[in-house]
Amino acid sequence: MKPMHRLLKRQLKKAEIDQQTLALITPLLDQVNEAYMASDKDLFHIENVLEKSSQELFQANQQLRSNVEMISSR
């Protein structure tokens, strides 16, 4: 099995599954592990997109405020 996702490790520890059972369900655990890893990757991507969007909105807001102040001061 590949390195286990932290949540999967925690869940398996709580379940107290014996080694024989773990060996039997390893293919399933690999799929669950891959799903957790993919979810983390997607979440990281979404957070980066949101951060970039937030920065762009902040800059656009600053530009609009500057334009309004310039128009108001005429």
Side-chain angles (χ1 to χ4, degrees):
M1 179 183 263
K2 300 173 189 174
M4 257 192 273
H5 189 275
R6 60 185 164 68
L7 294 177
L8 182 55
K9 276 185 191 177
R10 188 178 323 147
Q11 290 166 334
L12 290 172
K13 185 177 180 180
K14 276 185 180 180
E16 298 178 358
I17 299 172
D18 62 82
Q19 291 301 314
Q20 184 178 4
T21 304
L22 279 175
L24 290 172
I25 63 172
T26 294
L28 172 65
L29 295 177
D30 285 340
Q31 290 180 351
V32 171
N33 194 50
E34 286 179 29
Y36 274 128
M37 297 292 192
S39 178
D40 280 356
K41 183 179 176 184
D42 291 345
L43 182 60
F44 181 75
H45 175 73
I46 290 168
E47 288 172 343
N48 284 334
V49 168
L50 287 173
E51 179 63 30
K52 185 174 181 177
S53 295
S54 177
Q55 290 172 1
E56 290 171 357
L57 284 171
F58 178 78
Q59 290 172 353
N61 186 35
Q62 293 296 88
Q63 185 63 47
L64 285 171
R65 286 176 186 251
S66 176
N67 291 347
V68 167
E69 288 175 9
M70 190 172 19
I71 291 170
S72 296
S73 65
R74 288 184 185 172

